[in-house]
Amino acid sequence: MSEKDFIAANHTSSIENGNFQWSAPSNIAIVKYWGKKENQIPANPSISFTLNNCKTNTKLSFSKKENDGNFSFDLLFEGKPKEDFKPKINKFLERIEKYCPYLKNYHFTIDTENTFPHSSGIASSASGMAALSMNIMSLEKALNPEMTEDYFNQKASFLARLGSGSACRSVKGSVVVWGNHAEIEGSSDLFGVEFPSKIHDNFNTYQDTILLVDKGEKQVSSTVGHDLMHHHPFAEQRFDQAHRNLSAIKTILENGDLEEFIKITESEALTLHAMMMTSMPYFILMKPNTLEIINPIWKFRNDTKIPVCFTLDAGANVHVLYPENVRESVLQFIKAELVGYCQNGQYICDVIGTGALKI
Ligand code: DP6
């Protein structure tokens, strides 16, 4: 597939007005995307677990208008107009227009809400851009009803990527790879693909308890962070390492080796933060409580041999990852020893999910 394959075909049908509704989940990367080239092409491949409970629900209503050369849309967040989200959506529509030339023929109302608290510090860009892209593809399918399901999902992921890179991993599948990797069949820089091999039972219903350490605005946006990889002294080594870690994770997901899974996962999280700490300018996105959480996780794992580990995204919150069969012990440990380090004692229990759903 090339970018040209995603330019919409001439319509075979027409539609005046209507609405669609999709929910799309967030995802948590195990091997991290950090650094990109032009047009949202990732500097290295990444792999993520799709979440189940942290989602964005988006309803897209549309009615035909004159194509006056402009996009026209209203944006509602939790039922109320939200002007400050509009520039980001407008930029997204501009980026995808080439692939979806029908967009200027409609006025849209985008009505969106998240299942997780807005100020939780959990980025809603992945779930939000994925949910919007699924809706846009529903409209495109109404215009081109012969579209296959595979094309629908690939193009939804392709569009979501242009909104926010990690969003392309929130379309379909429990474990999703984005970015060309020599050993992963079908992998592409243009869209996310479901991990192609059978995943070991150890990873079925894998748990992610998200400890909300800092709910504040991000100190540095992902976009700025990605840009800092351009003149980063360790960039090339990091991109090579991501390829190697993805090869290792592929084997681990197939054979169920949790000890090896933990090593790669935690090393990836700390490497991501190490890249931020060693860029110019440099950032520390962890908070003291991030470390207050990591240290007891290591001690608990060492004392009990329970295979629990952590990962981080580009912020201070800690994702605690573990298999379902140790859920009770881990939750007990979290409540006894970690919740005190969360802002207002807040955490979210999530589990590996399957992707976006039409409502
Ligand atoms: C640290 O997808 O938010 O979460 O493409 O600029 O929107 P943009 O970046 P974004 O970056 C996410 C980076 C990460 C790692 C990951 O999810 O792989």
Side-chain angles (χ1 to χ4, degrees):
M1 294 289 268
S2 79
E3 294 193 8
K4 279 208 271 326
D5 295 310
F6 293 111
I7 298 174
N10 285 335
H11 314 157
T12 55
S13 262
S14 67
I15 182 163
E16 289 298 308
N17 54 59
N19 64 74
F20 298 106
Q21 200 170 341
W22 280 88
S23 94
S26 185
N27 66 73
I28 181 69
I30 304 300
V31 174
K32 310 285 183 180
Y33 147 59
W34 199 244
K36 59 177 152 181
K37 307 177 198 164
E38 286 270 346
N39 298 325
Q40 294 282 108
I41 297 300
N44 65 262
S46 58
I47 189 166
S48 57
F49 285 176
T50 304
L51 297 182
N52 191 55
N53 304 333
C54 291
K55 289 190 285 208
T56 300
N57 296 321
T58 301
K59 180 173 170 182
L60 182 74
S61 310
F62 54 95
S63 53
K64 199 107 190 224
K65 72 166 180 74
E66 188 80 9
N67 183 345
D68 58 0
N70 293 312
F71 295 115
S72 169
F73 67 96
D74 297 313
L75 187 86
L76 304 177
F77 180 67
E78 293 175 347
K80 295 191 201 89
K82 185 91 178 162
E83 289 304 308
D84 34 327
F85 282 5
K86 286 183 87 171
K88 195 167 180 195
I89 302 289
N90 206 66
K91 199 167 160 208
F92 172 59
L93 296 176
E94 279 170 11
R95 272 196 190 163
I96 67 170
E97 188 193 357
K98 183 174 160 198
Y99 308 101
C100 307
Y102 49 85
L103 290 172
K104 285 183 175 164
N105 299 335
Y106 293 94
H107 172 76
F108 296 102
T109 302
I110 304 165
D111 190 348
T112 189
E113 62 185 23
N114 298 328
T115 59
F116 46 89
H118 179 48
S119 59
S120 60
I122 297 185
S124 58
S125 55
S127 52
M129 287 299 173
L132 182 55
S133 301
M134 297 310 277
N135 278 306
I136 291 172
M137 286 312 294
S138 283
L139 171 58
E140 186 169 319
K141 189 167 168 61
L143 296 168
N144 284 325
E146 67 285 0
M147 179 187 296
T148 64
E149 198 185 324
D150 278 353
Y151 183 84
F152 184 107
N153 288 325
Q154 274 174 2
K155 183 163 173 183
S157 176
F158 174 89
L159 297 178
R161 183 193 106 241
L162 296 174
S164 178
S166 55
C168 79
R169 299 187 311 238
S170 279
V171 167
K172 187 171 183 272
S174 304
V175 178
V176 179
V177 176
W178 167 40
N180 253 319
H181 186 274
E183 290 162 35
I184 299 191
E185 214 190 306
S187 60
S188 169
D189 283 347
L190 300 180
F191 48 84
V193 296
E194 225 176 324
F195 180 67
S197 341
K198 181 167 167 20
I199 294 164
H200 192 278
D201 285 349
N202 280 351
F203 296 102
N204 283 342
T205 64
Y206 221 68
Q207 307 286 305
D208 179 5
T209 303
I210 308 163
L211 306 182
L212 305 177
V213 171
D214 183 37
K215 304 193 289 171
E217 279 292 303
K218 276 193 190 171
Q219 201 185 8
V220 51
S221 74
S222 304
T223 309
V224 171
H226 288 292
D227 271 355
L228 291 174
M229 288 304 282
H230 281 308
H231 304 287
H232 196 291
F234 307 135
E236 287 316 311
Q237 293 92 321
R238 161 59 195 154
F239 302 145
D240 287 348
Q241 179 201 40
H243 279 267
R244 287 195 303 278
N245 282 347
L246 198 42
S247 297
I249 278 285
K250 177 179 184 287
T251 307
I252 291 165
L253 289 173
E254 288 161 356
N255 70 17
D257 186 337
L258 294 180
E259 224 171 280
E260 288 302 308
F261 176 77
I262 288 170
K263 283 189 204 158
I264 303 278
T265 301
E266 292 189 344
S267 161
E268 274 288 321
L270 295 177
T271 301
L272 169 71
H273 282 255
M275 290 299 114
M276 297 181 210
M277 289 191 230
T278 49
S279 60
M280 192 57 82
Y282 39 81
F283 296 95
I284 300 182
L285 295 189
M286 292 190 213
K287 296 282 181 198
N289 282 353
T290 310
L291 294 177
E292 294 289 6
I293 288 170
I294 290 175
N295 283 307
I297 291 177
W298 283 345
K299 182 168 185 330
F300 176 77
R301 184 167 79 224
N302 203 29
D303 292 350
T304 62
K305 308 296 171 217
I306 288 176
V308 54
C309 69
F310 72 87
T311 189
L312 307 166
D313 54 21
N317 295 336
V318 181
H319 289 248
V320 185
L321 302 176
Y322 51 96
E324 195 186 16
N325 62 2
V326 294
R327 186 167 191 265
E328 243 165 74
S329 324
V330 174
L331 283 178
Q332 227 169 10
F333 157 67
I334 288 174
K335 283 180 206 153
E337 293 191 44
L338 305 183
V339 160
Y341 299 114
C342 299
Q343 250 185 24
N344 308 322
Q346 274 189 292
Y347 62 95
I348 296 173
C349 290
D350 214 328
V351 55
I352 206 164
T354 55
L357 283 177
K358 193 163 188 201
I359 301 172

